[in-house]
Every structure is written in structure tokens, then in C-alpha cells.
Amino acid sequence: GLTSVSVDFYVFWAAAKLALQGLPLDAFDVDRIREIANVTQEGWMPWAYPPGFLLLVTPLGLLPFAPAWAAFMALSVAALALATRPFTAGRPHLLLAIALAPAILPCLLVGQTSILWLAGLMAALAALHAEKPLLAGLFIGLLTLKPQLGLLLPVALIAAGQWRTILAAAVTAIALAAIPTALY
């Protein structure tokens, strides 16, 4: 079925189910994730995200697997379309090129978060370009949900003297750590 294709997403969905059952820490238990997802094949990644990402995907646990996967992918693509709009306005061929990029289809099929993270980075760059440092910081702070993606962002922001963006990103990152930790 779809779970044999959406290798990454079933981990998110199973973790969401566990969070809704009041067992968010069980998301880190590989055997428990496999049991909830009802998947036996090898070659998948266990839950490796911070509590903030679990909070983000928890509503998807209310849906059966296929509709949850479709909703997550649709939201990711919509986020990318919105984030790239400032760069593609008046040039629909650029938006089409992004939509047809070779990396998009595998991300959709496997249920990866890559499209969502790309959307966050594009939104941060658009906000910086529009001289909206606090909004850029918000998007950069959201990227801390997968921290390895932004290792050089602080260096670039410091080099550019974007102190308000750094502050907004730090506040967002702290909130993304504190709120789910308190809830879960």
C-alpha cells in the first residue's frame, strides 16, 4: 500500500497517533512506531525530530494514513508555492519549474519534509529581501524543527548584521522547544 512508498511519512503519522494517545515519548521507541504504523519492512528512519515538530504533525494523527499523507504533502506544496511567490511573481514559468523540479516528486512519494523546509527557507529569504527582519526570524526559528538545516544561517545573519532577525529566530526557537515540552 501507500505505507510502502511513504517511508518517511508513516513515522510522522505514527508519532502523531501516539501523541494523541497521550504517549508522545513513545515516538522515540522504534518498536512502538512500527506497531502503530503497522509496518514491517526494513529501511526506514525512526522518529528523530524535536517536540515542536511533533506538535506540528499531531493533528495528522486524527486522520487515516492516506488522507494524512495527502494533507501533509498538499500543505507542504502550498507552503512552497506561497514562499516562492515573491520570487516568481509575474513569471509563472519559474513557479512551474520549481513544481516540476526533479527533487519534488520523490519527496512527495516518500513523504519527506524537504519541501516544507525549503518553503521555510524561501520564506525567510523573501522576508529578508522585503526588509522584514522579524518575519524572517520567525521563519528561521521554525527551521530549528530540523536544526541541521540551518547550521550556517546564524553565521550569515551575524555577517549581515541581522540582529533583529537573530533575536526573532531565537525567541521562536525557544518557544518551539518550551511549548511542546510543557504540553507533552
Side-chain angles (χ1 to χ4, degrees):
L2 188 57
T3 56
S4 64
V5 176
S6 300
V7 175
D8 287 4
F9 184 75
Y10 83 74
V11 174
F12 308 148
W13 179 76
K17 295 284 238 189
L18 289 165
L20 287 171
Q21 292 174 12
L23 303 167
L25 293 178
D26 282 6
F28 294 98
D29 182 336
V30 173
D31 294 329
R32 190 77 171 109
I33 285 284
R34 286 180 126 179
E35 175 189 329
I36 293 294
N38 196 25
V39 176
T40 58
Q41 83 262 17
E42 298 294 324
W44 56 277
M45 298 296 293
W47 180 263
Y49 287 87
F53 188 69
L54 182 56
L55 186 61
L56 179 75
V57 298
T58 293
L60 296 171
L62 295 169
L63 300 171
F65 181 83
W69 169 81
F72 186 71
M73 293 298 99
L75 288 170
S76 295
V77 169
L80 182 59
L82 286 172
T84 57
R85 208 169 95 191
F87 301 106
T88 61
R91 297 173 292 207
H93 62 284
L94 290 178
L95 186 56
L96 184 61
I98 292 168
L100 296 176
I104 296 292
L105 183 59
C107 289
L108 292 173
L109 290 176
V110 177
Q112 288 184 344
T113 57
S114 302
I115 298 169
L116 194 58
W117 306 130
L118 176 59
L121 184 58
M122 295 294 290
L125 292 173
L128 282 170
H129 182 71
E131 297 183 16
K132 296 179 180 178
L134 298 179
L135 185 59
L138 172 74
F139 287 120
I140 291 168
L142 289 171
L143 290 175
T144 64
L145 293 173
K146 189 158 185 170
Q148 66 271 33
L149 294 178
L151 291 176
L152 293 178
L153 286 176
V155 175
L157 293 172
I158 290 168
Q162 293 287 337
W163 305 112
R164 291 175 41 190
T165 301
I166 293 168
L167 179 62
V171 168
T172 301
I174 290 168
L176 284 173
I179 293 169
T181 299
L183 286 173
Y184 292 137

